[in-house]
Amino acid sequence: MVIAAAFRAFPAIFHPAALRLLAKTLALTLIIFAVAALALWALIHGARQYLGWGGGGFAEAAATALVVFALAWLLFRTIAMAIMNLFADDIVIAVEQDSYPAAAASARPLGFARSVRLALRSAGRSAGWNLLALPLYLVLLITGIGTILLFLILNAYLLGRDLSEMVEQRHAGLVTMSGGSRWLLGLVSALLFLIPFINLLAPVWSAAMAVHMLHGVRSKSS
């Protein structure tokens, strides 16, 4: 079912509402990482001068780039999904109106305040668990594949929860997905976030996939 939902969700990426959401998500994510990189460089520069270390501008830039790259790998999906949660009504409504008009008619948009709460919960869970797992990520680097497997297992759970909540809270009395279906939804989404260039589409694609997964469960239960 999750594969069928992924294929059904793909055309939604090119919906005008999805493209607007994608542009906002990527722009705000890049701004956050740019500000973080600037702040990190200023911190490294100040520390180097205070401690009297050598190395100059190149060493500072290299250290900043290395840390930002590591943070991007670890936290890109956290920040992108949190930002997308702020505007998720756009893509969920668009997909429901196209594919599930009856559900769209009875849906209740979350509104900005509830979207902010969802985004903050999502970001807090994701950042907290991934930072907690960071020592294990580093230890498992020696296995060659252990870090990626742990990332997928952990983030499949986190993404599945975020994505299902994003749609479920718009529908009172909606039959929710099972834990296994949530995890499979999250696993496919986590895999999308690992593929270069595809990961830029992953937030919107995953949201559309969640709509199809959840309404597919509802259809089967009817």
Side-chain angles (χ1 to χ4, degrees), residues 153-168:
I153 292 169
L154 175 59
N155 286 278
Y157 166 75
L158 294 169
L159 278 166
R161 181 172 176 177
D162 289 346
L163 290 165
S164 58
E165 284 182 355
M166 188 173 61
V167 184
E168 287 170 356

Side-chain angles (χ1 to χ4, degrees), residues 75 77-78 121-131 155 158 162:
L75 298 177
R77 86 106 188 135
T78 298
R121 284 208 304 265
S122 168
R125 280 195 302 259
S126 179
W129 281 106
N130 277 287
L131 289 175
N155 286 278
L158 294 169
D162 289 346

Side-chain angles (χ1 to χ4, degrees), residues 84-217:
M84 196 203 65
N85 262 302
L86 296 176
F87 310 106
D89 271 337
D90 297 346
I91 181 63
V92 173
I93 289 171
V95 175
E96 287 184 341
Q97 286 177 342
D98 283 351
S99 302
Y100 309 98
S106 63
R108 50 179 185 185
L110 290 183
F112 187 71
R114 290 182 68 193
S115 295
V116 168
R117 289 197 293 272
L118 272 181
L120 291 176
R121 284 208 304 265
S122 168
R125 280 195 302 259
S126 179
W129 281 106
N130 277 287
L131 289 175
L132 192 63
L134 184 58
L136 197 50
Y137 284 150
L138 296 174
V139 169
L140 289 173
L141 282 173
I142 60 173
T143 67
I145 194 172
T147 299
I148 298 296
L149 289 177
L150 177 59
F151 176 88
L152 286 174
I153 292 169
L154 175 59
N155 286 278
Y157 166 75
L158 294 169
L159 278 166
R161 181 172 176 177
D162 289 346
L163 290 165
S164 58
E165 284 182 355
M166 188 173 61
V167 184
E168 287 170 356
Q169 295 200 28
R170 288 168 167 76
H171 297 276
L174 182 66
V175 176
T176 58
M177 282 187 279
S178 66
S181 293
R182 277 189 178 196
W183 191 82
L184 287 174
L185 170 64
L187 178 62
V188 173
S189 181
L191 286 168
L192 294 176
F193 273 99
L194 284 178
I195 304 171
F197 302 110
I198 296 295
N199 60 354
L200 302 178
L201 305 175
V204 172
W205 194 349
S206 298
M209 186 166 54
V211 175
H212 288 297
M213 281 283 290
L214 205 64
H215 289 299
V217 170

Side-chain angles (χ1 to χ4, degrees), residues 39-56 60 63-64:
L40 182 61
W41 175 85
L43 181 64
I44 292 172
H45 178 73
R48 187 183 67 81
Q49 288 193 324
Y50 178 78
L51 296 171
W53 291 346
E60 292 172 0
T64 300

